[in-house]
Amino acid sequence: MAPLKLHVLDCGAMSCDLTWLLLKAGRTIRSRGERDRPVEWYPCTTHAVVIETPEGRLLWDTSCPRDWEKRWEPTGLQEFFPYDQVSETEYFDSRLHQIGLEIGDIDYVVASHLHFDHAGNLQLFKGSNARLICNDKEKAFAFGYDGLFNGAHLKADYEGLDFETVSGDTEILPGVTLIEAPGHTPGTMSMKVDLPQTGPMIFTSDAIYLGDSYGPPASPAAIVNDLAAWYSSVEKLRGIAESTNAKLIFGHDAAQLRSMKLAPAGYYE
Ligand SMILES: [Zn+2]
């Protein structure tokens, strides 16, 4: 049985210096003729995905929290990634309600990785019936450091939650495959969804930030845990996308996200 419906939840955008996401000569890295040009700030869009399948409802990522400014304060990153391009209707919980769902309606919550702009609403699922799932290397890293945060991993987002883990590439539900794509973080995953009418879609999360990151050649970002692993994950995804004719949906590409069929108005099937 194939997935039936896929909803893309557009949860607004953070604002950030594009250099965080893209190290590219001529764009963020300047020639001497452009040394005085201001840095480019970018609408770093954030999305979640809900997939309806005959075997249950799966949520991919949870975007940023409403209380981002206070919650992110220990990291200092609220000054670099303010979640300030978001309206009441765009918050994650609002989007969920707009497609007629409550927290209790979700059976699986998969975290592509545990950065605060993807894991920001995981605590809403505490005590719910949803199974929480992440990659084993991501869990080991996220719970393995000392202190409250490490970069954009923030324990407040996921502390006290019970994660099941997957390792390698895993078909978690019929037609929904989690693809191990480390480099951005130790256990970043992408997700391939085989839809009967649309065909395969791959949600890359931060394994590939933007269309401009994908290339070829791939252009890395300032936020990469392991650069060699990041490059090889991009090429792994390129191989899967090319051999299956899948459409790639990048983690933070504003123009791409805004060109999609977005919930609640539209969905993919
Ligand atoms: Zn990330």
Side-chain angles (χ1 to χ4, degrees), residues 74-144:
T75 71
L77 292 172
Q78 79 283 2
E79 299 299 328
F80 293 89
F81 293 92
Y83 184 34
D84 59 2
Q85 301 185 53
V86 57
S87 64
E88 178 58 35
T89 55
E90 292 170 325
Y91 286 114
F92 168 77
D93 55 291
S94 300
R95 289 297 194 210
L96 211 53
H97 289 147
Q98 287 160 22
I99 55 170
L101 299 178
E102 304 289 338
I103 293 296
D105 296 324
I106 304 292
D107 302 299
Y108 302 85
V109 180
V110 181
S112 68
H113 63 302
L114 293 170
H115 273 166
F116 60 36
D117 57 321
H118 295 257
N121 289 292
L122 283 176
Q123 295 286 2
L124 297 178
F125 295 88
K126 189 169 187 164
S128 80
N129 291 325
R131 292 165 61 179
L132 304 182
I133 295 160
C134 70
N135 180 273
D136 58 345
K137 273 75 77 182
E138 189 71 9
K139 182 177 178 181
F141 177 83
F143 289 90

Side-chain angles (χ1 to χ4, degrees), residues 208 210-219 234-235 237-238 241-242 248 250:
I208 309 174
L210 310 168
D212 281 341
S213 322
Y214 184 53
S219 293
V234 174
E235 296 315 316
L237 291 167
R238 195 188 309 281
E242 288 179 357
L248 289 161
F250 305 113

Side-chain angles (χ1 to χ4, degrees), residues 28-81:
T28 54
I29 302 174
R30 302 293 158 69
S31 65
R32 59 183 173 177
E34 294 185 301
R35 71 181 76 189
D36 297 326
R37 184 156 67 87
V39 297
E40 181 177 350
W41 272 62
Y42 183 78
C44 184
T45 45
T46 165
H47 63 268
V49 176
V50 173
I51 308 166
E52 320 253 6
T53 87
E55 272 113 294
R57 203 174 273 121
L58 182 146
L59 169 68
W60 169 253
D61 279 348
T62 65
S63 188
C64 305
R66 286 175 176 262
D67 67 345
W68 62 275
E69 195 154 19
K70 185 160 192 303
R71 201 188 299 183
W72 296 354
E73 200 173 356
T75 71
L77 292 172
Q78 79 283 2
E79 299 299 328
F80 293 89
F81 293 92

Side-chain angles (χ1 to χ4, degrees), residues 102-258:
E102 304 289 338
I103 293 296
D105 296 324
I106 304 292
D107 302 299
Y108 302 85
V109 180
V110 181
S112 68
H113 63 302
L114 293 170
H115 273 166
F116 60 36
D117 57 321
H118 295 257
N121 289 292
L122 283 176
Q123 295 286 2
L124 297 178
F125 295 88
K126 189 169 187 164
S128 80
N129 291 325
R131 292 165 61 179
L132 304 182
I133 295 160
C134 70
N135 180 273
D136 58 345
K137 273 75 77 182
E138 189 71 9
K139 182 177 178 181
F141 177 83
F143 289 90
Y145 61 81
D146 293 328
L148 298 174
F149 69 94
N150 184 324
H153 282 90
L154 182 58
K155 282 187 185 151
D157 288 333
Y158 50 78
E159 217 161 32
L161 298 176
D162 211 4
F163 290 94
E164 297 173 38
T165 59
V166 293
S167 192
D169 299 345
T170 307
E171 188 169 24
I172 185 111
L173 286 170
V176 182
T177 303
L178 304 178
I179 301 169
E180 199 168 84
H184 173 67
T185 67
T188 297
M189 299 190 294
S190 300
M191 174 179 71
K192 180 166 174 282
V193 187
D194 297 312
L195 288 163
Q197 290 181 29
T198 307
M201 298 175 89
I202 297 175
F203 291 85
T204 68
S205 184
D206 291 357
I208 309 174
Y209 313 90
L210 310 168
D212 281 341
S213 322
Y214 184 53
S219 293
I223 325 166
V224 174
N225 169 265
D226 178 334
L227 191 55
W230 184 83
Y231 275 113
S232 90
S233 290
V234 174
E235 296 315 316
K236 175 181 178 178
L237 291 167
R238 195 188 309 281
I240 296 170
E242 288 179 357
S243 66
T244 61
N245 205 18
K247 179 174 171 52
L248 289 161
I249 293 87
F250 305 113
H252 293 292
D253 193 309
Q256 184 188 40
L257 183 68
R258 290 166 182 175

